[in-house]
Amino acid sequence: MIPAQREKFNQQFTIEKYKSFLEKLQEGYPEIPFRVAETPVFIPKALKDKLIAAGEEIISLIKQSNFKELTKNSIPKDWNVPNENAQPHFLTFDFGICKNEQGELSPMLIEMQGFPSLYGFQCHLANTFRQVFEIDNSLNHFLNGFNEEEYIQLFKEVIIGKHQPHEVALMDVDALNQKTAIDFFVTKKMLGIKILALEDIKKVGNQLFYEENGKQIQLKRIYNRLIFDEVAENIEIFKNSFDPREELDIEWVTHPNWFYRISKYTMPFLNSEFVPETRFLNQVESIPTDLENYVLKPLFSFAGMGVIIDVTEADITNILDPENWILQRKVTYEPVVKAPDGGVKVEIRMMYLWPDGGEPKLCINLARLSRGKMIGVRYNADFDWVGGTVGFMDE
């Protein structure tokens, strides 16, 4: 998207360099189970400014005094966790890069989450691209004036808070075997916190502990990477550890309820040139006659599962819980990244950190390249010049 930078990168690219890049990325860490793209994305200033503006519009909704009231029905009653705090610690907004009516590149919101993303790995990924390829120093993967030292300092503040690193743990069901485990290991190296599987944590009274060198150590704060959707069919798993829905003496980063409050559920409340028309299905009075221009999405699903792209009237009428679905106007991605054999579609994730009692700060980004019908690694397994990557933005 910055033609001179794209041309320079493509000219220096070789399969050997790409293999060397992957080896450096992997060095000292377990194998990365998802596809990392051959290239970063070069983002011109005009598009960066629109991405920033789009994010600010969404944040203004989240900061409204009535936001919790607006989203009170977003949390499934079986998964409401007590002691919710006043704000999320993370905001991630995914934008497809499209062309607007004026023919200019413009972002369109695809997904949003009040849940962590690859905050550690993206820093490592960008640094590795710079080590192997000639990335211009005028381009930055950080935003908002951050450098790496300032970013890590804010990351520590958000994750560790007022505690000691050994009192804080990154937690997931089977943490070391998750697809995103590379991010867990990079984060541990950056911050010095523990990585714990759910079953590594035991409850005594209302406090949580893990064992190290024969000693019981109390956890004060959990960097939560557990998505309830992934364990909904297996809640017996909590019996060997603790149930997050109980009253506990623990601080959450971020509190699990924010996963639901800031999600597809939030999109119908947004009215912006950067947000496709989105309605709760139970509020759609008449089925559009041009259904080919819409997509049907379940509110409670993970990684794009259950999405219906080629919607029919029967798909809509067969849904028994329309309050748990949204009908959204399709977004047409522009294949703006020039691969050696043609254009590739791109999605940019703008990633914010929100420290306790502070303001949300746009820090870093993630990008995904796609040639398939859907963005996402699982939908692009058979292509090259696709997968996870990072945006280098024109200052």
Side-chain angles (χ1 to χ4, degrees), residues 338-358:
K338 186 180 176 185
D341 60 346
V344 180
K345 296 177 284 188
V346 63
E347 197 167 280
I348 305 293
R349 174 174 294 175
M350 304 293 268
M351 296 163 60
Y352 301 73
L353 290 171
W354 196 340
D356 290 322

Side-chain angles (χ1 to χ4, degrees), residues 2 8 15 43 70 77 135 138 146 160 192 210 224 364:
I2 304 176
K8 174 186 167 186
I15 295 296
I43 298 170
L70 278 178
K77 63 180 185 300
I135 307 297
S138 66
F146 276 92
I160 299 174
Y210 69 94
N224 180 47
I364 200 166

Side-chain angles (χ1 to χ4, degrees), residues 49-242:
D49 290 346
K50 287 180 184 177
L51 285 161
I52 292 169
E56 286 175 352
E57 287 186 15
I58 300 167
I59 287 170
S60 67
L61 170 72
I62 294 167
K63 292 177 77 174
Q64 282 181 194
S65 58
N66 67 337
F67 182 73
K68 283 196 174 184
E69 179 63 24
L70 278 178
T71 56
K72 65 182 180 182
N73 294 327
S74 66
I75 306 165
K77 63 180 185 300
D78 292 339
W79 294 105
N80 200 331
V81 174
N83 303 315
E84 183 182 323
N85 63 337
Q87 64 183 63
H89 293 95
F90 311 96
L91 297 172
T92 64
F93 306 144
D94 291 350
F95 296 97
I97 303 306
C98 312
K99 273 192 176 173
N100 61 20
E101 291 178 359
Q102 292 73 43
E104 302 164 336
L105 293 182
S106 190
M108 287 295 280
L109 184 67
I110 304 300
E111 184 73 272
M112 55 194 294
Q113 288 187 333
F115 193 77
S117 183
L118 308 183
Y119 283 88
F121 178 69
Q122 287 307 109
C123 192
H124 174 53
L125 177 62
N127 287 340
T128 309
F129 266 121
R130 287 195 186 277
Q131 287 170 26
V132 177
F133 296 96
E134 296 171 26
I135 307 297
D136 199 302
N137 287 331
S138 66
L139 305 174
N140 205 340
H141 56 287
F142 292 115
L143 293 116
N144 215 12
F146 276 92
N147 59 34
E148 187 163 331
E149 184 181 350
E150 292 165 339
Y151 174 69
I152 293 173
Q153 187 56 44
L154 179 62
F155 196 27
K156 280 183 179 175
E157 181 186 345
V158 168
I159 302 298
I160 299 174
K162 63 181 184 293
H163 303 291
Q164 297 301 311
H166 69 273
E167 297 174 318
V168 181
L170 185 156
M171 184 271 289
D172 206 336
V173 178
D174 182 12
L176 299 182
N177 293 307
Q178 290 291 332
K179 275 197 169 183
T180 52
I182 179 70
D183 179 66
F184 301 175
F185 286 106
V186 175
T187 300
K188 178 183 179 181
K189 187 175 178 180
M190 273 184 176
L191 309 184
I193 63 174
K194 303 295 296 181
I195 301 173
L196 297 178
L198 183 66
E199 63 182 13
D200 294 330
I201 302 172
K202 305 301 177 189
K203 185 165 81 83
V204 179
N206 68 341
Q207 296 180 329
L208 302 179
F209 295 82
Y210 69 94
E211 186 176 313
E212 187 168 75
N213 300 324
K215 292 182 179 179
Q216 294 295 313
I217 298 172
Q218 186 184 350
L219 274 178
K220 304 289 183 65
R221 196 166 168 97
I222 289 177
Y223 179 18
N224 180 47
R225 303 297 288 259
L226 168 62
I227 295 174
F228 288 158
D229 293 30
E230 293 183 305
V231 297
E233 304 300 319
N234 184 28
I235 59 172
E236 294 294 307
I237 197 168
F238 294 144
K239 287 186 176 177
N240 296 323
S241 179
F242 73 99

